[in-house]
């Protein structure tokens, strides 16, 4: 039981390049989330999904897109990376909504130069 | 707007001393409240949640609806409690995290 797995762990991009971060969970969780963590700002919600085929915007969605084609996977895409997107990205999943704790991945450290 | 505030970025106490990590929130509606912890080189994990009324690793958290606070407390801090702590209210699938408090427990 791997829990929540994020790939890659590290990535360096040049401004304007694109990439996709993959999050996979093997706990049959309905809800999945993408957060970014920046110094002094805690974790900020980018996008989330309440089930396969559904996505919704969080607090800071601009510059990102997501897809949830399969229940176990939640992809975060950057179409044209900007230095402001340099951050640590965390994926999380939960069984249901408000009373279910989040299970986190180990994070992806992204640097955009 | 939904907001959660952890006023202390850094908190340092000696082993055996009491510790309180503050959390204040401003939410429309009644959020459910969680505390998460991140130990060095480990992933973020749940510490405790209000609905369970539990004590985990000696920590408890008291919800004060009047003051909209959910402070985390432990009567006798241990060195292994050194970590980053995040308060996290959730309402309507929107879970906001505070900026976090880094707790250091000195020997």
């Amino acid at each position: 039981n791997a829990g929540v797995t994020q790939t890659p762990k590290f990535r360096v991009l040049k401004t304007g390049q694109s990439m996709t971060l993959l999050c996979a969970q093997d706990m049959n969780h309905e809800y999945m989330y993408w957060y970014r963590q920046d110094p002094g700002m805690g974790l900020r919600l980018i996008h989330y999904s309440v089930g396969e085929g559904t996505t919704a915007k969080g607090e800071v969605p601009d510059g990102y897109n997501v897809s949830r084609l399969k229940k176990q996977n939640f992809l975060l895409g950057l179409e044209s990376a900007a230095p402001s997107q340099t951050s640590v990205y965390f994926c999380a999943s939960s069984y249901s909504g408000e009373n279910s704790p989040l299970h986190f991945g180990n994070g992806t450290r992204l640097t955009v130069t | 707007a939904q907001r959660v505030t952890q006023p202390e970025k850094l908190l340092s106490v000696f082993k055996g001393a009491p510790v309180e990590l503050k959390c204040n929130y401003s939410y429309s509606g009644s959020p459910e409240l969680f505390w998460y912890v991140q130990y060095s080189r480990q992933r973020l994990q749940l510490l405790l949640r209000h609905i369970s009324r539990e004590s985990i690793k000696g920590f408890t958290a008291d919800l004060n609806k009047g003051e909209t606070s959910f402070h985390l407390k432990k009567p006798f801090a241990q060195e292994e409690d050194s970590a980053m702590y995040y308060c996290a209210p959730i309402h309507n699938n929107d879970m906001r995290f505070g900026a976090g408090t880094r707790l250091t427990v000195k020997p």
Side-chain angles (χ1 to χ4, degrees):
Chain A
N1 190 338
V4 179
T5 304
Q6 290 182 234
T7 54
K9 293 182 180 179
F10 303 95
R11 186 72 186 269
V12 178
L13 289 179
K14 293 184 178 179
T15 298
Q17 287 185 318
S18 64
M19 77 162 295
T20 300
L21 282 67
L22 171 64
C23 177
Q25 52 94 5
D26 60 2
M27 297 173 283
N28 201 35
H29 284 171
E30 290 292 335
Y31 289 60
M32 296 187 76
Y33 307 81
W34 275 108
Y35 289 89
R36 59 178 289 173
Q37 183 183 43
D38 300 293
M41 302 187 75
L43 281 77
R44 292 183 292 168
L45 182 64
I46 304 171
H47 286 279
Y48 64 98
S49 168
V50 301
E52 180 179 317
T54 72
T55 63
K57 293 181 179 180
E59 185 183 0
V60 288
D62 294 342
Y64 305 94
N65 57 74
V66 289
S67 64
R68 184 100 182 268
L69 298 179
K70 294 183 179 180
K71 185 177 184 179
Q72 63 267 34
N73 295 336
F74 195 30
L75 279 62
L76 177 71
L78 286 74
E79 290 186 349
S80 180
S84 60
Q85 294 177 304
T86 293
S87 187
V88 180
Y89 291 86
F90 287 96
C91 176
S93 70
S94 67
Y95 178 71
S96 64
E98 294 180 11
N99 294 330
S100 296
L102 299 183
H103 296 256
F104 283 88
N106 275 326
T108 296
R109 185 174 294 277
L110 174 66
T111 301
V112 183
T113 60
Chain B
Q2 319 285 47
R3 192 168 62 243
V4 53
T5 303
Q6 293 180 246
E8 304 126 336
K9 289 186 178 180
L10 303 171
L11 186 60
S12 181
V13 300
F14 284 102
K15 177 182 175 181
V19 62
E20 181 181 53
L21 291 84
K22 293 184 170 58
C23 172
N24 294 92
Y25 63 92
S26 174
Y27 260 64
S28 56
S30 297
E32 183 52 47
L33 292 140
F34 297 78
W35 275 97
Y36 285 82
V37 61
Q38 190 171 26
Y39 300 103
S40 179
R41 299 188 186 87
Q42 295 186 28
R43 65 183 67 195
L44 201 63
Q45 59 188 286
L46 176 70
L47 178 62
L48 58 78
R49 49 184 156 173
H50 171 252
I51 194 171
S52 301
R53 301 289 196 274
E54 57 203 346
S55 173
I56 303 294
K57 299 184 179 181
F59 284 97
T60 58
D62 295 325
L63 172 62
N64 186 322
K65 288 190 176 181
E67 296 180 0
T68 58
S69 67
F70 189 54
H71 302 330
L72 183 68
K73 300 177 183 179
K74 185 169 182 177
F76 306 104
Q78 303 299 314
E79 290 180 68
E80 55 266 29
D81 296 328
S82 295
M84 195 75 178
Y85 291 81
Y86 295 94
C87 176
I90 182 170
H91 187 57
N92 290 336
N93 300 317
D94 185 350
M95 176 174 271
R96 303 283 172 117
F97 284 78
T101 296
R102 182 171 297 281
L103 173 65
T104 302
V105 181
K106 296 179 285 188

